[in-house]
């Protein structure tokens, strides 16, 4: 396998979304990811559409490029096999609660005793030192607790969840970055370490980056809400025959757009004559955009706005995107043949690297598919088969 992380070995004890997304990023970059699954496998094997038992869509997409080892860590023989495997890897990742990790003797101290230089990454719902450390947490819970779900209610009556497991995937991305930083530290010092990336902390920090706004200052100068993204008229704009997504951002872009639509008078309006004022009063300008775009078709506006270099794109759904990918052949989505699940669409990494190019790895594994290869036939008696 090629890729910048070729030669790196990762022991993956994660399940569902947050941890598997972290290790997916590492696998896409060339790491050998060994997914240790309990009897019955990762629950994601049952999530979403499926043609074959244990090979549902979510698992197939989230675990491509990984190897699967089936071990019951409560069984002595399997635990011995696991303990022998630990010194042979560089990284261990799990997304258990602290108490669950302790019950399985998988704390940092337990693992470090087997491999002092290991990079150990824990992805809990809440920070291990907080009073919520052992509360169960999934994406919806964290979206709510971290402010993301309430943020969605700014322009609608009810709070709502983002319609993708955003907290899981943002935390997984953050954890993959943290793992790489810890590996850089180990390369420089020879020292392993414990890395913790809690979902709650990650999403609060993620959301507050711009939403902290007036609360950036002490005392606050305004509410913790960024006015541009909270503007009621910030939405895909209706055209004469559909919808268009437009973001006019810079002074030059506003000048070109407002001149094009005959509203150059707004360029000198006291509410809009600086960047700061345009952000603070964004909804007024967005209302003008909404009114104007209704007058012509999506295709007409795409041509007009592209000609003056204003960022825009037609509103698309996933089926449209997938059909366009199949037609244009960009390589982001391809048709592959899985030995068990059959003919599938496979998502490629969006990362392109010139000196260490990524190559499509193996497809998602069946449960325990790599026991013999990884464990060399040792420690697999009993439940692991």
């Amino acid at each position: 396998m090629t890729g910048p992380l070729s030669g790196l070995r990762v022991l993956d004890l994660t399940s569902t979304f947050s941890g598997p997304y972290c290790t997916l990023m590492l696998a896409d970059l060339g790491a050998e990811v060994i997914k240790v699954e309990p009897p019955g496998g990762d629950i994601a094997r049952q999530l979403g559409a499926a043609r074959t038992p244990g090979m549902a869509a979510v698992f197939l997409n989230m675990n491509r490029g990984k190897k699967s080892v089936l071990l019951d860590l409560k069984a002595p023989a399997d635990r011995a096999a696991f303990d022998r495997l630990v010194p042979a890897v560089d990284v261990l990742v799990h997304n258990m609660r602290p108490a669950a990790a302790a019950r399985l003797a998988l704390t940092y101290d337990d693992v470090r005793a087997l491999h002092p230089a290991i990079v150990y990454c824990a992805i809990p719902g809440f920070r291990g030192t907080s009073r919520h450390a052992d509360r169960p947490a999934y994406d919806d819970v964290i979206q709510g607790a971290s402010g993301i779900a309430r943020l969605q209610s700014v322009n609608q009556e009810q709070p709502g969840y983002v319609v993708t497991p955003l907290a899981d995937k943002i935390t997984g991305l953050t954890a993959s970055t943290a793992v790489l930083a810890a590996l850089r530290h180990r390369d420089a010092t020879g020292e392993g370490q414990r890395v913790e990336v809690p979902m709650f902390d990650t999403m609060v920090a993620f959301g507050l980056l711009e939403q902290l706004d007036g609360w950036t200052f002490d005392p606050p100068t305004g509410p913790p809400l960024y006015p541009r993204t909270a503007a009621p008229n910030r939405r895909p704009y209706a055209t004469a025959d559909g919808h268009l997504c437009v973001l006019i951002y810079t002074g030059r872009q506003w000048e070109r757009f407002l001149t094009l639509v005959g509203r150059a008078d707004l360029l000198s309006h006291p509410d809009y004559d600086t960047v700061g004022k345009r952000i603070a009063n964004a909804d007024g300008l967005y209302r003008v955009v909404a009114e104007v775009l209704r007058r012509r078709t999506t295709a007409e506006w795409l041509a007009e706005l592209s000609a003056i270099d204003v960022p825009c794109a037609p509103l698309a759904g996933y089926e449209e995107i997938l059909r366009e990918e199949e037609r244009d052949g960009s390589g982001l989505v391809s048709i592959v043949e899985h030995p068990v699940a059959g003919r599938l669409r496979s998502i490629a990494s969006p990362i392109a690297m010139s000196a260490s190019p990524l190559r499509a790895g193996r497809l998602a594994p069946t449960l325990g598919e790599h026991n013999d290869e990884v464990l060399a036939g040792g420690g697999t008696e009993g439940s692991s088969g």
Side-chain angles (χ1 to χ4, degrees):
M1 182 179 290
T2 61
L5 298 185
S6 181
L8 184 75
R9 301 190 87 199
V10 178
L11 202 52
D12 178 1
L13 281 76
T14 69
S15 63
T16 59
F17 282 86
S18 63
Y21 199 63
C22 168
T23 55
L24 174 63
M25 297 298 101
L26 302 177
D28 278 352
L29 291 168
E32 178 188 6
V33 175
I34 302 165
K35 184 176 180 69
V36 177
E37 299 187 68
D42 182 350
I43 190 175
R45 288 184 175 276
Q46 316 304 325
L47 302 181
R51 286 190 301 224
T52 307
M55 300 300 289
V58 169
F59 184 86
L60 288 165
N61 294 327
M62 196 72 75
N63 292 281
R64 64 175 185 265
K66 303 177 187 179
K67 298 178 179 179
S68 172
V69 171
L70 171 58
L71 291 173
D72 181 353
L73 296 183
K74 298 177 182 178
D78 283 10
R79 180 55 192 245
F82 175 83
D83 288 351
R84 290 194 297 272
L85 185 57
V86 169
V89 302
D90 301 284
V91 179
L92 183 147
V93 184
H94 76 75
N95 58 346
M96 304 175 214
R97 286 180 270 174
R103 284 195 299 271
L104 287 172
L106 287 172
T107 67
Y108 176 52
D109 288 340
D110 294 322
V111 175
R112 181 174 57 174
L114 299 170
H115 186 358
I118 199 165
V119 170
Y120 174 103
C121 180
I123 308 175
F126 301 91
R127 186 173 294 277
T129 55
S130 81
R131 61 191 176 92
H132 303 304
D134 280 308
R135 283 176 56 187
Y138 289 108
D139 184 89
D140 290 3
V141 173
I142 298 299
Q143 283 201 40
S146 67
I148 297 295
R150 177 65 64 82
L151 190 62
Q152 307 314 304
S153 69
V154 169
N155 295 315
Q156 57 189 37
E157 292 183 3
Q158 297 294 326
Y161 300 124
V162 178
V163 190
T164 185
L166 185 74
D168 277 324
K169 290 192 278 189
I170 292 294
T171 305
L173 282 170
T174 305
S176 67
T177 301
V179 165
L180 296 177
L183 288 167
R184 174 66 182 90
H185 174 83
R186 193 184 70 176
D187 288 345
T189 67
E191 180 183 35
Q193 62 181 295
R194 181 180 186 273
V195 175
E196 183 181 72
V197 185
M199 293 176 67
F200 174 77
D201 297 55
T202 299
M203 292 310 296
V204 170
F206 177 81
L208 284 180
L209 189 66
E210 81 290 339
Q211 298 299 330
L212 190 58
D213 203 54
W215 272 58
T216 301
F217 307 100
D218 190 20
T221 61
L225 185 68
Y226 186 55
R228 191 194 75 77
T229 57
N233 283 290
R234 176 183 174 250
R235 62 184 63 164
Y237 298 108
T239 64
D241 64 349
H243 288 83
L244 189 66
C245 302
V246 181
L247 179 53
I248 309 162
Y249 208 76
T250 69
R252 183 178 292 274
Q253 289 167 356
W254 277 115
E255 180 181 355
R256 291 169 177 168
F257 176 80
L258 292 173
T259 300
L260 173 70
V261 300
R263 291 305 311 270
D265 59 296
L266 293 176
L267 294 170
S268 58
H269 192 287
D271 286 345
Y272 311 125
D273 58 3
T274 68
V275 173
K277 290 178 182 180
R278 286 194 295 272
I279 294 296
N281 302 301
D283 199 51
L285 286 173
Y286 290 170
R287 190 179 304 112
V288 171
V289 178
E291 292 170 355
V292 168
L293 262 59
R294 295 178 187 275
R295 302 173 187 169
R296 305 180 69 178
T297 67
T298 299
E300 288 171 331
W301 280 121
L302 278 170
E304 292 275 9
L305 297 180
S306 297
I308 60 172
D309 205 29
V310 166
C312 58
L315 182 68
Y318 285 127
E319 185 170 337
E320 295 170 74
I321 293 168
L322 289 167
R323 291 192 184 283
E324 185 172 333
E325 282 292 322
E326 290 179 357
R327 184 180 67 247
D328 296 344
S330 72
L332 182 59
V333 180
S334 58
I335 302 294
V336 298
E337 192 71 35
H338 190 283
V340 172
R343 189 174 169 86
L344 307 172
R345 287 179 176 82
S346 180
I347 309 164
S349 171
I351 300 170
M353 306 186 76
S354 63
S356 52
L358 281 58
R359 183 175 64 200
R362 60 176 58 83
L363 303 177
T366 56
L367 181 58
E369 179 180 341
H370 301 93
N371 271 52
D372 289 343
E373 174 189 333
V374 172
L375 303 176
T380 60
E381 299 85 13
S383 63
S384 57

